[in-house]
Short mmCIF file of all heavy atoms in Angstrom, two decimals:
data_model
loop_
_atom_site.label_atom_id
_atom_site.label_comp_id
_atom_site.label_asym_id
_atom_site.label_seq_id
_atom_site.Cartn_x
_atom_site.Cartn_y
_atom_site.Cartn_z
N ILE S 286 55.08 -35.45 -117.42
CA ILE S 286 56.38 -34.79 -117.56
C ILE S 286 56.19 -33.41 -118.24
O ILE S 286 56.82 -32.40 -117.88
CB ILE S 286 57.34 -35.65 -118.39
CG1 ILE S 286 57.65 -36.92 -117.59
CG2 ILE S 286 58.62 -34.89 -118.70
CD1 ILE S 286 58.57 -37.87 -118.31
N ALA S 287 55.27 -33.33 -119.24
CA ALA S 287 55.02 -32.07 -119.92
C ALA S 287 54.44 -31.01 -118.96
O ALA S 287 54.80 -29.84 -119.02
CB ALA S 287 54.07 -32.28 -121.09
N MET S 288 53.55 -31.44 -118.08
CA MET S 288 52.96 -30.51 -117.12
C MET S 288 53.98 -30.00 -116.11
O MET S 288 53.80 -28.91 -115.56
CB MET S 288 51.80 -31.19 -116.39
CG MET S 288 50.61 -31.53 -117.29
SD MET S 288 49.31 -32.44 -116.43
CE MET S 288 48.79 -31.19 -115.23
N ILE S 289 55.05 -30.74 -115.89
CA ILE S 289 56.12 -30.26 -115.02
C ILE S 289 57.10 -29.38 -115.81
O ILE S 289 57.61 -28.37 -115.31
CB ILE S 289 56.85 -31.45 -114.35
CG1 ILE S 289 55.88 -32.23 -113.49
CG2 ILE S 289 58.05 -30.97 -113.55
CD1 ILE S 289 56.47 -33.51 -112.90
N ASP S 290 57.37 -29.79 -117.04
CA ASP S 290 58.38 -29.09 -117.84
C ASP S 290 57.91 -27.70 -118.27
O ASP S 290 58.74 -26.78 -118.30
CB ASP S 290 58.74 -29.93 -119.06
CG ASP S 290 59.82 -29.29 -119.90
OD1 ASP S 290 60.96 -29.17 -119.41
OD2 ASP S 290 59.52 -28.87 -121.04
N ALA S 291 56.65 -27.55 -118.65
CA ALA S 291 56.17 -26.25 -119.16
C ALA S 291 56.34 -25.13 -118.12
O ALA S 291 56.93 -24.09 -118.44
CB ALA S 291 54.73 -26.38 -119.61
N PRO S 292 55.87 -25.28 -116.88
CA PRO S 292 56.13 -24.21 -115.89
C PRO S 292 57.60 -23.98 -115.62
O PRO S 292 58.03 -22.84 -115.41
CB PRO S 292 55.40 -24.70 -114.64
CG PRO S 292 54.41 -25.69 -115.12
CD PRO S 292 55.02 -26.33 -116.32
N TYR S 293 58.38 -25.08 -115.67
CA TYR S 293 59.83 -24.91 -115.43
C TYR S 293 60.47 -24.08 -116.53
O TYR S 293 61.30 -23.22 -116.26
CB TYR S 293 60.50 -26.29 -115.36
CG TYR S 293 62.01 -26.17 -115.43
CD1 TYR S 293 62.75 -25.75 -114.33
CD2 TYR S 293 62.70 -26.47 -116.62
CE1 TYR S 293 64.13 -25.64 -114.39
CE2 TYR S 293 64.07 -26.36 -116.69
CZ TYR S 293 64.78 -25.94 -115.59
OH TYR S 293 66.14 -25.80 -115.64
N GLN S 294 60.07 -24.31 -117.80
CA GLN S 294 60.65 -23.56 -118.89
C GLN S 294 60.28 -22.06 -118.81
O GLN S 294 61.11 -21.19 -119.08
CB GLN S 294 60.18 -24.12 -120.23
CG GLN S 294 60.70 -25.52 -120.55
CD GLN S 294 62.22 -25.58 -120.65
OE1 GLN S 294 62.88 -24.59 -120.91
NE2 GLN S 294 62.77 -26.77 -120.40
N VAL S 295 59.05 -21.78 -118.40
CA VAL S 295 58.65 -20.38 -118.21
C VAL S 295 59.46 -19.74 -117.11
O VAL S 295 59.95 -18.60 -117.21
CB VAL S 295 57.15 -20.30 -117.91
CG1 VAL S 295 56.74 -18.87 -117.58
CG2 VAL S 295 56.33 -20.81 -119.10
N TRP S 296 59.65 -20.47 -115.98
CA TRP S 296 60.45 -19.92 -114.88
C TRP S 296 61.90 -19.76 -115.30
O TRP S 296 62.53 -18.72 -114.96
CB TRP S 296 60.35 -20.88 -113.69
CG TRP S 296 61.27 -20.52 -112.57
CD1 TRP S 296 61.03 -19.60 -111.58
CD2 TRP S 296 62.57 -21.06 -112.33
NE1 TRP S 296 62.12 -19.53 -110.74
CE2 TRP S 296 63.08 -20.44 -111.18
CE3 TRP S 296 63.35 -22.00 -112.97
CZ2 TRP S 296 64.35 -20.70 -110.67
CZ3 TRP S 296 64.62 -22.30 -112.46
CH2 TRP S 296 65.08 -21.67 -111.31
N HIS S 297 62.46 -20.74 -115.99
CA HIS S 297 63.86 -20.65 -116.42
C HIS S 297 64.07 -19.49 -117.38
O HIS S 297 65.11 -18.79 -117.35
CB HIS S 297 64.26 -21.96 -117.08
CG HIS S 297 65.69 -21.99 -117.56
ND1 HIS S 297 66.05 -21.74 -118.87
CD2 HIS S 297 66.86 -22.24 -116.91
CE1 HIS S 297 67.33 -21.83 -119.00
NE2 HIS S 297 67.86 -22.13 -117.82
N TYR S 298 63.11 -19.25 -118.27
CA TYR S 298 63.22 -18.14 -119.20
C TYR S 298 63.22 -16.81 -118.45
O TYR S 298 63.99 -15.90 -118.79
CB TYR S 298 62.04 -18.21 -120.17
CG TYR S 298 62.01 -17.12 -121.22
CD1 TYR S 298 62.85 -17.16 -122.31
CD2 TYR S 298 61.14 -16.05 -121.10
CE1 TYR S 298 62.84 -16.15 -123.27
CE2 TYR S 298 61.09 -15.04 -122.04
CZ TYR S 298 61.94 -15.10 -123.13
OH TYR S 298 61.91 -14.09 -124.06
N ALA S 299 62.31 -16.68 -117.45
CA ALA S 299 62.27 -15.44 -116.67
C ALA S 299 63.58 -15.24 -115.89
O ALA S 299 64.07 -14.10 -115.80
CB ALA S 299 61.08 -15.48 -115.73
N GLU S 300 64.13 -16.33 -115.36
CA GLU S 300 65.40 -16.21 -114.63
C GLU S 300 66.53 -15.81 -115.56
O GLU S 300 67.42 -15.03 -115.22
CB GLU S 300 65.73 -17.53 -113.94
CG GLU S 300 64.84 -17.86 -112.75
CD GLU S 300 65.10 -16.91 -111.59
OE1 GLU S 300 66.28 -16.65 -111.30
OE2 GLU S 300 64.13 -16.44 -111.00
N LYS S 301 66.52 -16.36 -116.79
CA LYS S 301 67.60 -16.08 -117.74
C LYS S 301 67.60 -14.62 -118.16
O LYS S 301 68.66 -14.04 -118.40
CB LYS S 301 67.43 -17.00 -118.95
CG LYS S 301 68.53 -16.81 -119.99
CD LYS S 301 68.34 -17.76 -121.15
CE LYS S 301 67.09 -17.43 -121.93
NZ LYS S 301 66.93 -18.23 -123.14
N LEU S 302 66.42 -14.01 -118.25
CA LEU S 302 66.32 -12.62 -118.72
C LEU S 302 66.33 -11.60 -117.59
O LEU S 302 66.11 -10.41 -117.85
CB LEU S 302 65.06 -12.46 -119.55
CG LEU S 302 65.00 -13.19 -120.89
CD1 LEU S 302 63.77 -12.81 -121.66
CD2 LEU S 302 66.25 -12.88 -121.74
N LYS S 303 66.52 -12.04 -116.32
CA LYS S 303 66.53 -11.07 -115.22
C LYS S 303 67.63 -10.05 -115.46
O LYS S 303 68.66 -10.31 -116.07
CB LYS S 303 66.72 -11.79 -113.91
CG LYS S 303 65.42 -12.30 -113.28
CD LYS S 303 65.65 -12.79 -111.88
CE LYS S 303 64.35 -13.14 -111.21
NZ LYS S 303 64.53 -13.63 -109.82
N MET S 304 67.41 -8.86 -114.95
CA MET S 304 68.31 -7.73 -115.17
C MET S 304 68.86 -7.23 -113.84
O MET S 304 68.25 -7.43 -112.78
CB MET S 304 67.56 -6.60 -115.89
CG MET S 304 66.91 -7.02 -117.20
SD MET S 304 65.87 -5.73 -117.90
CE MET S 304 67.10 -4.49 -118.33
N THR S 305 69.98 -6.55 -113.92
CA THR S 305 70.52 -5.88 -112.77
C THR S 305 69.89 -4.48 -112.64
O THR S 305 69.29 -3.98 -113.60
CB THR S 305 72.05 -5.73 -112.86
OG1 THR S 305 72.36 -4.90 -114.00
CG2 THR S 305 72.71 -7.08 -113.08
N ARG S 306 70.04 -3.87 -111.49
CA ARG S 306 69.48 -2.55 -111.31
C ARG S 306 70.18 -1.53 -112.22
O ARG S 306 69.58 -0.58 -112.68
CB ARG S 306 69.63 -2.14 -109.83
CG ARG S 306 68.77 -2.95 -108.90
CD ARG S 306 68.95 -2.50 -107.46
NE ARG S 306 68.14 -3.33 -106.56
CZ ARG S 306 68.13 -3.18 -105.24
NH1 ARG S 306 68.93 -2.27 -104.67
NH2 ARG S 306 67.35 -3.97 -104.48
N GLU S 307 71.48 -1.77 -112.43
CA GLU S 307 72.24 -0.86 -113.30
C GLU S 307 71.70 -0.94 -114.73
O GLU S 307 71.58 0.06 -115.44
CB GLU S 307 73.71 -1.23 -113.26
CG GLU S 307 74.59 -0.37 -114.14
CD GLU S 307 74.56 1.10 -113.77
OE1 GLU S 307 74.33 1.39 -112.57
OE2 GLU S 307 74.77 1.93 -114.66
N GLU S 308 71.36 -2.17 -115.20
CA GLU S 308 70.79 -2.34 -116.52
C GLU S 308 69.44 -1.66 -116.63
O GLU S 308 69.13 -1.06 -117.67
CB GLU S 308 70.67 -3.83 -116.86
CG GLU S 308 71.99 -4.51 -117.11
CD GLU S 308 71.84 -6.01 -117.30
OE1 GLU S 308 70.82 -6.57 -116.87
OE2 GLU S 308 72.74 -6.64 -117.91
N LEU S 309 68.63 -1.73 -115.59
CA LEU S 309 67.35 -1.05 -115.58
C LEU S 309 67.53 0.46 -115.68
O LEU S 309 66.80 1.14 -116.44
CB LEU S 309 66.55 -1.40 -114.36
CG LEU S 309 65.94 -2.82 -114.31
CD1 LEU S 309 65.27 -3.06 -112.97
CD2 LEU S 309 64.92 -2.97 -115.44
N ARG S 310 68.49 0.99 -114.93
CA ARG S 310 68.73 2.44 -114.99
C ARG S 310 69.23 2.85 -116.37
O ARG S 310 68.81 3.89 -116.90
CB ARG S 310 69.74 2.84 -113.90
CG ARG S 310 69.14 2.86 -112.49
CD ARG S 310 70.10 3.58 -111.54
NE ARG S 310 71.29 2.78 -111.27
CZ ARG S 310 71.41 1.96 -110.25
NH1 ARG S 310 70.42 1.83 -109.38
NH2 ARG S 310 72.54 1.29 -110.04
N GLN S 311 70.13 2.03 -116.93
CA GLN S 311 70.66 2.37 -118.26
C GLN S 311 69.55 2.29 -119.31
O GLN S 311 69.48 3.15 -120.21
CB GLN S 311 71.78 1.39 -118.61
CG GLN S 311 72.53 1.73 -119.90
CD GLN S 311 73.26 3.05 -119.81
OE1 GLN S 311 73.69 3.45 -118.75
NE2 GLN S 311 73.40 3.74 -120.94
N GLU S 312 68.68 1.33 -119.19
CA GLU S 312 67.56 1.20 -120.13
C GLU S 312 66.62 2.40 -119.99
O GLU S 312 66.08 2.91 -120.99
CB GLU S 312 66.82 -0.10 -119.91
CG GLU S 312 65.70 -0.35 -120.88
CD GLU S 312 64.99 -1.65 -120.63
OE1 GLU S 312 65.57 -2.71 -121.00
OE2 GLU S 312 63.89 -1.64 -120.07
N ALA S 313 66.39 2.82 -118.74
CA ALA S 313 65.52 3.98 -118.54
C ALA S 313 66.12 5.22 -119.19
O ALA S 313 65.39 6.04 -119.76
CB ALA S 313 65.30 4.20 -117.05
N LYS S 314 67.44 5.35 -119.08
CA LYS S 314 68.10 6.48 -119.72
C LYS S 314 67.95 6.43 -121.23
O LYS S 314 67.69 7.44 -121.89
CB LYS S 314 69.59 6.51 -119.37
CG LYS S 314 69.88 6.92 -117.93
CD LYS S 314 71.39 6.95 -117.68
CE LYS S 314 71.71 7.36 -116.26
NZ LYS S 314 73.18 7.40 -116.00
N GLU S 315 68.09 5.24 -121.80
CA GLU S 315 68.00 5.10 -123.24
C GLU S 315 66.58 5.32 -123.74
O GLU S 315 66.38 5.87 -124.82
CB GLU S 315 68.51 3.72 -123.67
CG GLU S 315 69.97 3.52 -123.43
CD GLU S 315 70.41 2.10 -123.79
OE1 GLU S 315 69.53 1.29 -124.12
OE2 GLU S 315 71.63 1.81 -123.67
N SER S 316 65.59 4.86 -122.98
CA SER S 316 64.21 4.96 -123.43
C SER S 316 63.64 6.35 -123.16
O SER S 316 62.96 6.95 -123.99
CB SER S 316 63.34 3.91 -122.74
OG SER S 316 63.41 4.05 -121.34
N ASP S 317 63.90 6.88 -121.95
CA ASP S 317 63.36 8.19 -121.58
C ASP S 317 64.28 9.34 -121.99
O ASP S 317 63.88 10.50 -121.99
CB ASP S 317 63.13 8.27 -120.07
CG ASP S 317 62.12 7.21 -119.63
OD1 ASP S 317 61.32 6.79 -120.47
OD2 ASP S 317 62.14 6.83 -118.45
N GLY S 318 65.52 9.00 -122.29
CA GLY S 318 66.48 10.04 -122.63
C GLY S 318 67.41 10.34 -121.46
O GLY S 318 66.97 10.38 -120.30
N ASN S 319 68.65 10.52 -121.77
CA ASN S 319 69.62 10.87 -120.73
C ASN S 319 69.26 12.22 -120.13
O ASN S 319 69.08 13.19 -120.83
CB ASN S 319 71.04 10.92 -121.35
CG ASN S 319 72.09 10.96 -120.29
OD1 ASN S 319 72.02 11.70 -119.35
ND2 ASN S 319 73.13 10.13 -120.49
N PRO S 320 69.15 12.31 -118.77
CA PRO S 320 68.78 13.59 -118.16
C PRO S 320 69.72 14.72 -118.54
O PRO S 320 69.26 15.86 -118.74
CB PRO S 320 68.85 13.28 -116.65
CG PRO S 320 68.66 11.79 -116.56
CD PRO S 320 69.30 11.22 -117.79
N GLU S 321 70.99 14.44 -118.68
CA GLU S 321 71.94 15.51 -119.06
C GLU S 321 71.67 16.00 -120.48
O GLU S 321 71.67 17.21 -120.74
CB GLU S 321 73.37 14.98 -118.93
CG GLU S 321 73.76 14.60 -117.51
CD GLU S 321 75.17 14.05 -117.44
OE1 GLU S 321 75.79 13.92 -118.52
OE2 GLU S 321 75.66 13.75 -116.32
N ILE S 322 71.39 15.03 -121.37
CA ILE S 322 71.08 15.43 -122.75
C ILE S 322 69.78 16.19 -122.80
O ILE S 322 69.65 17.20 -123.53
CB ILE S 322 71.06 14.19 -123.66
CG1 ILE S 322 72.45 13.52 -123.68
CG2 ILE S 322 70.62 14.56 -125.07
CD1 ILE S 322 72.50 12.25 -124.49
N LYS S 323 68.78 15.70 -122.05
CA LYS S 323 67.47 16.40 -122.05
C LYS S 323 67.64 17.81 -121.49
O LYS S 323 67.00 18.74 -122.00
CB LYS S 323 66.48 15.59 -121.23
CG LYS S 323 66.09 14.26 -121.86
CD LYS S 323 65.16 13.46 -121.00
CE LYS S 323 63.81 14.12 -120.86
NZ LYS S 323 62.85 13.30 -120.10
N ALA S 324 68.43 17.97 -120.45
CA ALA S 324 68.65 19.30 -119.90
C ALA S 324 69.32 20.20 -120.92
O ALA S 324 68.97 21.39 -121.04
CB ALA S 324 69.47 19.20 -118.62
N LYS S 325 70.26 19.63 -121.66
CA LYS S 325 70.96 20.45 -122.67
C LYS S 325 69.98 20.83 -123.78
O LYS S 325 70.03 21.96 -124.30
CB LYS S 325 72.12 19.65 -123.24
CG LYS S 325 73.04 20.45 -124.15
CD LYS S 325 74.27 19.67 -124.53
CE LYS S 325 75.21 20.53 -125.38
NZ LYS S 325 76.44 19.78 -125.76
N ILE S 326 69.10 19.90 -124.15
CA ILE S 326 68.10 20.20 -125.20
C ILE S 326 67.17 21.31 -124.72
O ILE S 326 66.83 22.24 -125.48
CB ILE S 326 67.33 18.94 -125.58
CG1 ILE S 326 68.27 17.94 -126.30
CG2 ILE S 326 66.14 19.29 -126.48
CD1 ILE S 326 67.62 16.62 -126.61
N ARG S 327 66.71 21.19 -123.46
CA ARG S 327 65.83 22.24 -122.93
C ARG S 327 66.54 23.59 -122.89
O ARG S 327 65.93 24.63 -123.19
CB ARG S 327 65.37 21.85 -121.52
CG ARG S 327 64.31 20.76 -121.52
CD ARG S 327 63.63 20.68 -120.16
NE ARG S 327 64.56 20.30 -119.12
CZ ARG S 327 64.78 19.04 -118.74
NH1 ARG S 327 64.11 18.06 -119.31
NH2 ARG S 327 65.64 18.76 -117.80
N GLN S 328 67.83 23.57 -122.55
CA GLN S 328 68.58 24.81 -122.53
C GLN S 328 68.67 25.41 -123.94
O GLN S 328 68.50 26.63 -124.14
CB GLN S 328 69.99 24.57 -121.99
CG GLN S 328 70.84 25.83 -121.90
CD GLN S 328 72.22 25.55 -121.35
OE1 GLN S 328 72.52 24.41 -121.01
NE2 GLN S 328 73.06 26.58 -121.26
N GLN S 329 68.94 24.57 -124.96
CA GLN S 329 68.96 25.06 -126.31
C GLN S 329 67.60 25.59 -126.76
O GLN S 329 67.54 26.62 -127.48
CB GLN S 329 69.42 23.93 -127.26
CG GLN S 329 70.88 23.51 -127.05
CD GLN S 329 71.26 22.33 -127.92
OE1 GLN S 329 70.40 21.68 -128.54
NE2 GLN S 329 72.54 22.03 -128.00
N GLN S 330 66.53 24.90 -126.35
CA GLN S 330 65.21 25.39 -126.67
C GLN S 330 64.94 26.76 -126.04
O GLN S 330 64.33 27.65 -126.68
CB GLN S 330 64.14 24.39 -126.25
CG GLN S 330 64.17 23.09 -127.05
CD GLN S 330 63.22 22.05 -126.50
OE1 GLN S 330 62.77 22.13 -125.35
NE2 GLN S 330 62.90 21.05 -127.33
#
């Protein structure tokens, strides 16, 4: 039972944390910086 449950828990965890494309785009903006804000910073520089 343990050998069946362990892979299932790993799969269930991955399914639970799956993201939408919109969430990925929003995360990219937060991590890399909003393009509009970056453009404004470059303009100020």
